[in-house]
Amino acid sequence: MSRLALADTHCHLQDPKIAVRAEELVARAREAGVRFILVCGYDLPSSAQALHLADRFPEVYAAVGVHPHDAKTFGPSAAAELESLARHPKCVAIGEIGLDFYRELSPRSTQREALEAQLQLATELGLPVSVHSRGAEDAIAPHLERYAAAANALRAQGRPLGVMHCFGGNARQALRYADLGFFVSIACTIGYPKNERARELARTLPLSALVAETDAPYLPPQWARGQVNEPANVRAAVEGIAEARQVPFEVAAAETTANTARLFAPAETLLPAREP
Ligand SMILES: [Zn+2]
């Protein structure tokens, strides 16, 4: 087996577009050197499905959470159910959660309430968070600052507090979240000709704060545009990071994978130890 170890920190293998092919897609990812796949929920059913996939495949882990689009479905009973899902042994994060003021499918105040409640759950359980922010890259700051001040369990273990998934902001905003203790995740879209912004992020942030993701079935790499994305393609995100920083692919792969292991603790069992 090759020593290459890649990690997809954010995908939706439970999405109806690809769920029926989950077994094939996990096998293809394995073949491509992907040793860790985080399946993120976006509402309660998809969170339960993420856990179900985690039960089926050793390299698959789950994040459970209610996406800002679905914030209007979040209330006390959803919160209780989410908490019981989050106690599953293969749940390694709360997510994806956040604010989306771009599509604004739930009212902004409702999004903020759902985000706060889920950040509090993460704090209580000592889990990191997978954060979605779109059109809200500054608006989300006070929420994450409050969470960062309270996340003592993660801090005590010297672990990151979460990840800004497919971060759509600029380098200045990304550095602010990196300083706060968040990692920043780069998607396959870094290879799109017009996406200089993502390349600048990958160049500007320290490599120690970067991880890679596919967001499958969304955001396919340039050469697969118009097709569904899959975890095996996370290599394209890592290649984009390597090119932007002008480091060898192997270096970007080793670093992003080691960062993933710090972020989602159980991943440590799957990933090779960081070389000195
Ligand atoms: Zn997503």
Side-chain angles (χ1 to χ4, degrees):
M1 189 164 60
S2 125
R3 282 184 48 80
L4 178 67
L6 299 172
D8 183 357
T9 63
H10 190 113
C11 72
H12 303 288
L13 212 47
Q14 79 280 56
D15 184 287
K17 284 192 272 302
I18 53 175
V20 290
R21 295 167 57 213
E23 185 150 359
E24 176 202 340
L25 296 185
V26 170
R28 282 158 63 91
R30 217 172 267 167
E31 195 67 24
V34 181
R35 303 273 174 264
F36 175 84
I37 298 170
L38 185 65
V39 177
C40 293
Y42 39 89
D43 57 12
L44 289 176
S46 63
S47 295
Q49 287 156 6
L51 291 170
H52 183 66
L53 287 162
D55 280 334
R56 280 174 65 195
F57 305 105
E59 63 271 77
V60 173
Y61 286 79
V64 303
V66 176
H67 192 282
H69 289 343
D70 294 288
K72 51 187 177 297
T73 68
F74 192 86
S77 77
E81 196 178 326
L82 191 65
E83 175 168 355
S84 79
L85 294 175
R87 293 187 184 279
H88 185 288
K90 287 194 83 177
C91 174
V92 294
I94 300 297
E96 61 181 292
I97 59 174
L99 298 177
D100 194 314
F101 293 173
Y102 179 77
R103 294 185 65 194
E104 211 169 337
L105 298 184
S106 287
R108 293 185 178 193
S109 61
T110 310
Q111 292 188 37
R112 289 185 188 274
E113 283 165 24
L115 172 61
E116 276 298 327
Q118 294 181 92
L119 288 171
Q120 196 176 333
L121 176 63
T123 306
E124 282 163 20
L125 299 180
L127 290 173
V129 291
S130 180
V131 178
H132 170 104
S133 76
R134 193 162 184 215
E137 282 75 16
D138 284 321
I140 203 165
H143 298 280
L144 298 184
E145 281 163 2
R146 254 194 308 280
Y147 161 72
N152 295 322
L154 291 172
R155 272 195 202 294
Q157 298 168 53
R159 289 180 56 201
L161 308 181
V163 54
M164 306 302 288
H165 124 74
C166 188
F167 189 65
N170 59 35
R172 174 190 59 79
Q173 291 164 321
L175 282 168
R176 176 181 186 180
Y177 296 117
D179 283 347
L180 209 52
F182 288 83
F183 283 174
V184 174
S185 176
I186 302 290
C188 305
T189 49
I190 189 174
Y192 292 5
K194 288 184 178 161
N195 203 354
E196 185 51 39
R197 188 195 51 79
R199 292 187 283 276
E200 197 200 328
L201 278 186
R203 251 193 316 271
T204 309
L205 287 153
L207 192 48
S208 58
L210 293 177
V211 293
E213 69 168 89
T214 61
D215 205 18
Y218 309 107
L219 312 182
Q222 175 68 17
W223 46 264
R225 282 180 94 159
Q227 299 169 33
V228 292
N229 202 3
E230 59 177 274
N233 290 343
V234 76
R235 182 184 182 99
V238 178
E239 280 169 353
I241 294 170
E243 272 171 42
R245 302 185 70 92
Q246 300 194 298
V247 297
F249 170 77
E250 291 71 22
V251 170
E255 283 281 331
T256 53
T257 297
N259 295 342
T260 303
R262 282 189 59 211
L263 183 56
F264 303 120
E268 283 164 7
T269 56
L270 291 174
L271 301 173
R274 192 180 201 136
E275 283 170 33

